[in-house]
Structures are given as C-alpha cells and as structure tokens.
Amino acid sequence: MKAFARTRIPRRERSDLAPVSEIQRSMWFLEQAGRAGAYNIGLSVRVGGPLDPGALRRALLAVARRHETLRSVFVTEGGEVRVRVLPVEEFAELLFPADWDGSAEAPFAVDGGPLFRARLTSASPTEHLLSLCFHHVVYDGGSAALFWDDLWQAYTGAELAELDIQYADYAAWQQERLDGGLLARQTEWWTGHLDGAPILSTVPPDRPRPARRTGEGRELRVRVPAGAHAALARLARAETATVYMVVLAALQAMIGLASGRTDVLVGSPVSGRVRPELRPLIGCFVNTLVMRADLAGDPSFLDHLRATRLGVLDAFDHQEVPFDRVVESVNPLRLPGTSPLFQVLYAHQGTSGEVVPPPAGLTAEPVDERTSTAKFDLLVTTWEEDGGLVLSLEYATELYDDSSADRFLRELLELLTTAVTAPGTPLSALGTGPWQAPAAQTAPAAPAPEPDDTPWSPTEEFLRDVWATLLGRTDIGRRADFFDLGGHSFLGIRMLNRVRLEYGVELPAGVLFEARTLEGLAAAVDRALRGTDPAELVRLAPGEGPPLLLVHPVGGGISCYVPLARRLPMPVYGIEAVGLDGVEAMADAYLEAAAPLLDRGPVAFGGWSMGGVVAFEMARRAEAASGRTVPVVLIDSHVPDPDAEAPGEADLVQWFAADWGASAGGDLGEGITGRAELWRRAEERGLLDPGRDGDTARRLLDRFETNIGAVGRFRVPSGHRGPVRLLAAAGESWAAGDRGWGAVTSGGLTVTAVPGDHYGIMADPALPGEIADFLKGAVCHE
C-alpha cells in the first residue's frame, strides 16, 4: 500500500469534456450493445416523520453539486467516449423526471442524462417513499454510505465542503498509471493465471443458451442458520480468512460438483478505492476479478479454503488491470450469449445498512426490492443483516427454471453448512453431485482454408485494411474472427465508427458478437447499404404495457429515437428504412414486420417528421384490416403539401445538409448548394474522414432523396378514426398549428406545443412525458 501513497492524485483543470475511467468505458459499451437498464442501481426508502420536500430536493442537488459524476452524461467524439458534466441548474430540471414511476429497470439515456434520478411520494405528512436510481457508471456499493451521509447533512442545512478531487481526476490518473507500465506487468500475470481456462464454468442450464440474452431474471434469498453462521465466522478467524473467502470456496466447490469439472472460474467485484483521496468520492470504482480454483484430487474443504485464500490475495495484488483488458489479453473463445471467462459472479456486500440514519425526528427504512434482471447465468450475493448472513441468488430465467434455482440455493446452503461445521470433509462428500453429464468443451472447428483466387469484395477489402490498422497485423482472412485476432469491445466501437464514416450506415454494437468474422461484418454492411432486406423491428427499450412503434424520419435511421425511447415507460421498437420508394409500400412492409406486436394486443404507432406520415398511414391500414383503432403519435410531422414542387439538386443538398448537421449534433452552415461543398463542410466538422472518395455522402444523400420523393408524392387519405396526438415544435411558427392533420382525422386530434424547433423538439425533456400521458389513456381503449 505504500506505493499508492507516494503522490496524491492531482486535480486537473476543468474542460468541457473529461476522460472516462476504464469501468465507465466498459459500461458505456454495454449500453450501446443493447444492455440498457441492466446496470441500474435502484433503491426505495420509507421515510417517516415531517419530511420537508423542498429541503430534500435542495439536499439532493447539494450532493450532486459536490459530486460531479452524478451530473455526468456521456458523449462520443472521434470514436472515443468522453464525459460532459451538466451544470447544476440544468441537472435540477432533470432530477425528478415526471415520467419515472420509480422502477429500477427503467433505462437511462447515457448520452442525455440524467444518470441519477429521484421520486418522492407522500402518503401523508409523516409517510413518504423516496425512490432513487443511479446508473452503475456513476455509483457503486461503496458510494452508498457517502451519499446518505452527505444527503442528511445537506438536509439539515449544513454546507458540504468542496472535494479535493473529482472522479474525472481519478479517471485521468488511472489512465496515466496504466500507461506507465503497471498495465503490462499485471496483465502478464493474468495471462499466465488464466492460461488454459475452461470456456464455460457454470451450473448446467435447463435450456440451450440463446445467441442473444434478454437479461431477464429473478432473485431468491435465504438466511444462513445462526449455527452455520457462527461456525463460518470461527473458521474464517482460525484460517486468517474472511467471510467472503469462505463463501467463495463453497461456491466454487458447488459449481465444480454440479458441473462435474475440477477447473472452476468465478467472477468477483472488488472496490478500486485503493487510495485515501478516493474514499470520499461517489462514483464507480469497481473492477471484476476472476477467481480460479483447482479442485483436482478431491481435496478437503479446509485445504480448498486455504488455496482459495492464497488465490484471492494474489488476485488482489493484481487488481488494477481492468477486466476488459484481461479479456483482451487472455482472448478466450467467445460463445454467443455467454460472458467471457466466467458465467457466475459472487459479491459480498458486508452489511445491508445502506441508509445512514436521518436527522432527529425522521426515520428511514430501506424497502426490500427484488430484481427482475440477470447480468450473468448466476449471481450470488451475501451480506450481514441483523446479526446474521443473507444469501441471495439472481438467476437468468431464460436458462434456469425456478425449481432449478431453488435447488441450487438450497444445495449451496447445505454444502456451506456442512463445510464450515466439518471442514475436513472431502469436497465429493459435501452433498451434491453432477446435475448433468459434463458436456465436452470442444472449440468450433477452424474453417477450411479459403481458395487463394477468391476475389474480395470492396467492403471486405475496406474492413481488412481497418482491421489491419486497429489490430496491428496483416494475417487476416475472410473468415478470421475479430476477437481471435486480438480485438476487443473498445476496438470494435472504433471499427464501427469507421464503417459509419465510410459507408453512412450505423450498425448496432451487438453486430460485433453476431457477425464476428470479416466476411460476416462485410455482409452486414452490404445489407444495410442495399436496403433491400425485409423490414425488421429493432427493440430500442424495454418497458411495461402496450408497445410503441416508431418509424424512421427522412434520414432513414432510428438512432435519433434512442434517447427518447429509454425515457419512456413502455416497450419501444423502431423500424429503419429498407430502400422502398413509396409511403404505401413502406406502410405495408412495416405492418408486416409489426405483425407479431399487433397479434399480441394493443399497439401505438408514431414517428418524427416523415416518420409520422408513414405511421399515420400504417394506423389507417391496420384499422381498415382489423376494425381496431391504433393511436398515433406525430412528433412535429406535417401533412405533405400536394402543391409542393419536387426539389432540385441545390434544394435537395441544402435540405440534406440541414438534416444531417442537426441529426449529428452540429451545423454544417449556410450556402451549401453542391455536393463538393457538402463534402468539404462534412470533413471540416469531423462527420467524414478527410481524403476519402465521398461515397458516404452520396449514399446518405441517395437515401434522403428517396424518402423525400416518397413523402412528396404521397397524399394522405382522410377518415382515420383512432386518437392522434400531434406534438408540434413551438419554434416553427411558420407552420399551421395542426400541421394539416385536422382535415384528415375523425377520431380526435390533440395538439400540444413542445419547446424547440423541428430538430430541437427531440431533445426536449417534456417529450417523453407528453407521449406517455397520451398513450396511457389512448392505447388501451378502442
């Protein structure tokens, strides 16, 4: 520990964008890969007594003022992720979102914030429920006591002292420390420690492992009997071990016996607050270590515990290498739907007393809430509570039946009880055996060599050059696996950014795991460029109740809806453009894609700009086919003008430049009348790589032109009977108030003005609340 204390982490000058820590970069990637909501930390507290809501709000803002990380949002710049800290005044408008019901699973918009939200519900002057939710990227278990202590101090009117450093200072220091040689030294140890590790280390599941995990799960809890708890504590003291080490040893033994294997890996989170100046900071400091156990020879539990203790201490000595870097270095074989290196995680939380006692006159009691998600196959958690030990199991319901989870928890408790009361017992006699015959862990066969004369497509050649640059190697075949060649998630994001810049297509991060080969990724890019595949639903956010389906705007993509979708309480799906050149054809194709949703019950359609026009036509056709009305949400959408002339080349380029610039978060400027000028401006603003051939701009413009033509030729039929809500941009004063929809609706049109212009409306925090309020009543009524 002396090495940590030589110099203090320096405070750096503040800038608009700050670096991220390694764990923040990893969690940001998981959000992009479709794991939205999986890393939320939610808690609810019953507060008794005469709570002052105004004082509580001021106290929450005071805590956010002191800890900048609570006001963080994440942005990308040049393919790298950075942090922007919102001003306290701006954050204050986001802290209590009106559309949040207190659910811990409601996803955050990491690029729009906030990543910390609150809700206060009062049943009476002395009965209150305070619901809080943090994204794990800004908060961890070690932050809890800090948060509550600061909150109650601020509630009483005490001024919170300024911190010596902020989380961003730690992130910059961490990067410098890793780059200074520490990363190489510790990575070398992990590479050797995990050499030859098994592909899977888990309890055999009840069902085949899906290629894509939904993250759905449940939780079971059991209390360790008092006698077993006392014996556990005695054994830990006698062996100079900890409760964590004893339970970890029992869990490793349980997995080994249930799977029939002797080489067992279990993941375990550890706190990264290794220096005194980090201890006052709220933030995410955790890292994940891989605890490997050798159970060969059927050792006694005592011998296994002693080996586990030494293994834990060794891992702690090398804990500064971020887990993603370990995975990158070890480069294990990846199986779809499987976390690398381990599938079972164990965490010991010490005590459950997260809430520091409130000021005199108030009481605070945490609400016991169970999770409905699962990040891994199995997550075992222990904590001290009321003088005893609680054992929790979070399990993936798509892998395990409830009865299997109950069996696992019951047998783990029995094994632990026997092990701590009779530690000389051989592992094989601890009461459980293989759940299934061990499956052979053979790696997929290597693909046959490719003929030397097979021509490479232009897309494959482009990707081969990108891979060669990112991976630093030239031995790249058409069926080479990105991860087998040394790629990892962060390099993958950079690769997808190059694809976006070159081809103008925005592939989801999940494609890295589905199309892992150069050939597969090239095919995914080409499919996106052709736009001839059948329309498909893209799930943008989970939620409860009837879903909302959002249709692409004139640009053709649906990334503009992601921040909005993650702030809505209902399930949200999107449909991207597939190259169709007529609104009628789009409506038919998109309805076919939406058939599974329509078959299950009520659905609402919506869209921004052109997306609203297509959504309206979809609703009209669905009503005619089924007799059921479909609610429609129009986000600043206009009925096409039948007298408008088709745009010429100059108008088309100007419109496209305005749309592209606004959608990309920048302004390409005025006076763009030709493609050459558009190309030059795009290079200056960093939207395209300098020196390329302009194909990206051409493809994007072609898609824009196709959609402009489609909506321009379309004449909206009248008579739609379903409820329609138009959310009109108040800044577009030139347009008619009802945008022309009043003449073609008969089921009731409601117009609501929302701040912003045509593009700014999408970023308005009131938009999700307006949509949710409308659909809450409309979607469930015929």
Side-chain angles (χ1 to χ4, degrees):
M1 297 297 291
K2 289 183 179 179
F4 288 124
R6 286 179 187 163
T7 58
R8 293 183 63 83
I9 298 175
R11 185 180 181 91
R12 289 164 171 78
E13 291 187 9
R14 294 292 172 259
S15 60
D16 290 340
L17 297 179
V20 296
S21 68
E22 292 284 335
I23 185 63
Q24 286 183 321
R25 186 184 289 109
S26 176
M27 288 188 178
W28 175 86
F29 170 78
L30 291 173
E31 286 281 344
Q32 308 308 305
R35 295 293 302 276
Y39 287 88
N40 290 5
I41 299 177
L43 66 151
S44 295
V45 178
R46 291 191 182 92
V47 181
L51 181 72
D52 181 345
L56 178 67
R57 179 184 179 88
R58 291 190 293 273
L60 287 167
L61 290 176
V63 177
R65 180 180 290 107
R66 187 179 196 226
H67 299 274
E68 290 180 355
T69 189
L70 293 178
R71 295 181 274 123
S72 297
V73 296
F74 291 76
V75 298
T76 54
E77 185 180 73
E80 296 291 332
V81 61
R82 295 286 186 268
V83 166
R84 174 175 290 121
V85 177
L86 299 178
V88 176
E89 296 75 17
E90 182 178 346
F91 176 77
E93 300 298 321
L94 304 173
L95 176 58
F96 284 89
D99 57 342
W100 182 49
D101 63 358
S103 166
E105 286 77 26
F108 286 101
V110 294
D111 53 354
L115 301 180
F116 160 42
R117 56 193 172 210
R119 178 184 177 90
L120 180 65
T121 305
S122 298
S124 74
T126 59
E127 296 176 293
H128 316 274
L129 180 65
L130 174 60
S131 299
L132 303 172
C133 194
F134 307 84
H135 194 295
H136 199 357
V137 78
V138 299
Y139 187 90
D140 61 11
S143 301
L146 299 169
F147 173 84
W148 289 105
D149 186 58
D150 282 358
L151 178 68
W152 294 132
Q153 283 194 52
Y155 179 83
T156 62
E159 185 173 346
L160 301 181
E162 183 178 355
L163 293 165
D164 292 336
I165 61 171
Q166 291 286 344
Y167 188 90
D169 300 315
Y170 157 74
W173 169 84
Q174 180 194 48
Q175 195 59 60
E176 292 172 359
R177 183 170 170 80
L178 292 175
D179 292 344
L182 178 75
L183 178 64
R185 294 192 300 272
Q186 293 198 6
T187 299
E188 183 179 5
W189 182 87
W190 281 108
T191 303
H193 180 60
L194 297 175
D195 182 46
I199 301 169
L200 288 175
S201 185
T202 187
V203 175
D206 297 313
R207 287 173 287 281
R209 192 175 297 274
R212 299 190 72 174
R213 297 280 289 272
T214 64
E216 296 175 354
R218 277 192 280 275
E219 181 186 5
L220 297 174
R221 293 180 188 176
V222 67
R223 194 174 184 85
V224 177
H229 183 213
L232 190 161
R234 286 195 301 271
L235 179 61
R237 287 194 299 269
E239 294 300 319
T240 322
T242 62
V243 170
Y244 160 77
M245 294 176 181
V246 177
V247 178
L248 172 64
L251 177 60
Q252 290 171 331
M254 174 71 188
I255 295 171
L257 293 170
S259 65
R261 303 192 180 279
T262 58
D263 192 353
V264 174
L265 305 180
V266 173
S268 200
V270 295
S271 173
R273 289 180 168 84
V274 294
R275 298 173 61 101
E277 60 265 45
L278 298 179
R279 290 168 193 158
L281 296 185
I282 289 175
C284 187
F285 294 91
V286 296
N287 191 19
T288 302
L289 306 183
V290 184
M291 303 301 181
R292 189 174 188 179
D294 181 2
L295 309 180
D298 194 20
S300 69
F301 182 78
L302 183 59
D303 288 340
H304 169 50
L305 171 60
R306 290 168 176 170
T308 297
R309 175 182 176 275
L310 295 177
V312 168
L313 294 176
D314 277 345
F316 283 178
D317 285 341
H318 301 87
Q319 68 173 287
E320 291 190 74
V321 181
F323 176 69
D324 284 82
R325 301 291 189 102
V326 173
V327 174
E328 172 189 347
S329 175
V330 177
N331 194 26
L333 180 68
R334 315 291 178 85
L335 298 180
T338 305
S339 57
L341 294 180
F342 67 86
Q343 294 78 47
V344 181
L345 186 127
Y346 168 53
H348 180 61
Q349 296 181 343
T351 65
S352 64
E354 293 182 325
V355 180
V356 174
L362 298 178
T363 61
E365 177 187 1
V367 176
D368 183 8
E369 296 179 325
R370 305 296 171 94
T371 184
S372 61
T373 62
K375 305 177 187 67
F376 304 95
D377 289 13
L378 302 168
L379 166 59
V380 176
T381 309
T382 51
W383 63 84
E384 306 283 345
E385 183 178 275
D386 299 330
L389 185 68
V390 177
L391 188 62
S392 163
L393 174 67
E394 175 188 293
Y395 59 99
T397 51
E398 59 195 328
L399 297 179
Y400 299 101
D401 294 330
D402 294 344
S403 58
S404 296
D406 182 73
R407 173 189 174 187
F408 177 87
L409 193 59
R410 184 179 66 254
E411 292 189 1
L412 176 59
L413 181 59
E414 292 172 355
L415 186 152
L416 178 63
T417 300
T418 303
V420 298
T421 54
T425 305
L427 297 185
S428 61
L430 288 179
T432 189
W435 287 26
Q436 298 174 10
Q441 293 196 48
T442 55
E450 301 170 39
D452 292 339
D453 58 351
T454 301
W456 288 63
S457 72
T459 307
E460 289 173 334
E461 290 180 345
F462 168 77
L463 289 174
R464 180 183 58 192
D465 293 343
V466 173
W467 285 25
T469 301
L470 293 176
L471 301 172
R473 54 194 301 170
T474 57
D475 55 332
I476 301 174
R478 181 179 280 105
R479 297 187 180 93
D481 186 293
F482 181 72
F483 295 100
D484 287 345
L485 294 177
H488 52 86
S489 56
F490 306 145
L491 286 179
I493 288 295
R494 293 175 60 188
M495 176 181 67
L496 295 181
N497 189 54
R498 291 294 303 275
V499 169
R500 178 181 63 81
L501 294 173
E502 175 69 15
Y503 291 101
V505 297
E506 193 161 339
L507 299 177
V511 77
L512 291 173
F513 306 104
E514 297 170 6
R516 303 159 60 95
T517 65
L518 189 148
E519 180 182 56
L521 185 64
V525 173
D526 288 340
R527 283 196 302 271
L529 290 174
R530 289 195 306 270
T532 55
D533 282 358
E536 295 182 351
L537 294 182
V538 178
R539 191 181 187 191
L540 300 180
E544 298 292 332
L548 170 64
L549 175 58
L550 294 171
V551 181
H552 64 84
V554 70
I558 55 176
S559 61
C560 58
Y561 293 135
V562 172
L564 170 65
R566 293 179 177 173
R567 296 177 65 186
L568 288 169
M570 69 284 296
V572 182
Y573 295 83
I575 287 189
E576 294 183 301
V578 292
L580 300 171
D581 60 1
V583 170
E584 297 90 342
M586 293 178 190
D588 286 340
Y590 300 172
L591 279 173
E592 183 177 350
L597 294 182
L598 291 164
D599 289 343
R600 290 200 292 266
V603 181
F605 296 156
W608 171 46
S609 192
M610 172 191 175
V613 176
V614 181
F616 186 90
E617 178 62 9
M618 290 172 63
R620 193 187 68 81
R621 292 181 177 226
E623 174 189 310
S626 68
R628 293 184 301 173
T629 59
V630 177
V632 181
V633 179
L634 305 170
I635 306 175
D636 206 48
S637 183
H638 301 247
V639 170
D641 182 0
D643 299 323
E645 296 181 359
E649 173 71 4
D651 287 335
L652 184 69
V653 171
Q654 286 180 3
W655 295 354
F656 172 71
D659 186 85
W660 190 17
S663 299
D667 184 3
L668 291 175
E670 301 290 333
I672 302 177
T673 57
R675 302 188 182 211
E677 178 63 12
L678 172 66
W679 168 250
R680 187 184 68 79
R681 299 271 187 95
E683 283 189 352
E684 290 176 351
R685 269 68 168 182
L687 298 180
L688 299 171
D689 274 350
R692 303 267 178 205
D693 61 5
D695 280 352
T696 299
R698 178 182 57 78
R699 293 188 185 100
L700 288 171
L701 186 53
D702 287 348
R703 185 169 71 174
F704 184 86
E705 184 176 15
T706 297
N707 289 334
I708 283 284
V711 76
R713 294 188 298 272
F714 182 62
R715 299 296 176 261
V716 180
S718 61
H720 174 62
R721 295 187 295 108
V724 178
R725 167 70 64 90
L726 169 65
L727 299 165
E732 301 291 351
S733 57
W734 60 271
D738 69 355
R739 304 300 195 258
W741 295 105
V744 294
T745 57
S746 61
L749 171 67
T750 305
V751 181
T752 302
V754 179
D757 58 16
H758 184 67
Y759 294 100
I761 188 176
M762 290 296 294
D764 189 85
L767 193 63
E770 293 287 350
I771 293 175
D773 287 344
F774 168 60
L775 295 181
K776 195 176 298 181
V779 79
C780 296
H781 295 81
E782 295 295 330

